[in-house]
Amino acid sequence: GLAMSSRNSRLSEADKIKAAQLVETLHTSTSDSQALAILQSLGFETEYVESLNNRRLAAVQLSGVRLIDNVEI
């Protein structure tokens, strides 16, 4: 789920629902480029999506709030 950080508290309720799609996309995508395309289609301003040491990492902007996450792949 979405972390309860001070940054995330600046998100609207609708944005919090949308933000949860970040980690879901990182989990279900079969490649970095697929994750990037999905995140962009969902309206995230994507800074990066990359894989390193069996993890997929991403940083995005949503309504001016920077969100970062990573998942095991």
Side-chain angles (χ1 to χ4, degrees):
L2 187 63
M4 298 301 294
S5 73
S6 59
R7 269 187 290 187
N8 295 347
S9 68
R10 298 190 323 232
L11 295 171
S12 69
E13 289 305 312
D15 282 341
K16 287 177 184 177
I17 292 167
K18 189 177 198 176
Q21 294 175 322
L22 169 60
V23 71
E24 167 119 11
T25 299
L26 296 179
H27 271 297
T28 59
S29 298
T30 58
S31 68
D32 296 346
S33 59
Q34 182 186 44
L36 176 66
I38 292 169
L39 291 168
Q40 289 175 334
S41 74
L42 292 170
F44 290 97
E45 294 177 42
T46 308
E47 293 179 29
Y48 65 83
V49 175
E50 63 182 63
S51 296
L52 179 67
N53 298 325
N54 296 319
R55 299 201 71 81
R56 182 163 291 127
L57 305 95
V60 300
Q61 294 269 340
L62 180 60
S63 298
V65 177
R66 186 171 192 254
L67 305 173
I68 57 172
D69 216 324
N70 72 91
V71 298
E72 188 173 6
I73 52 172

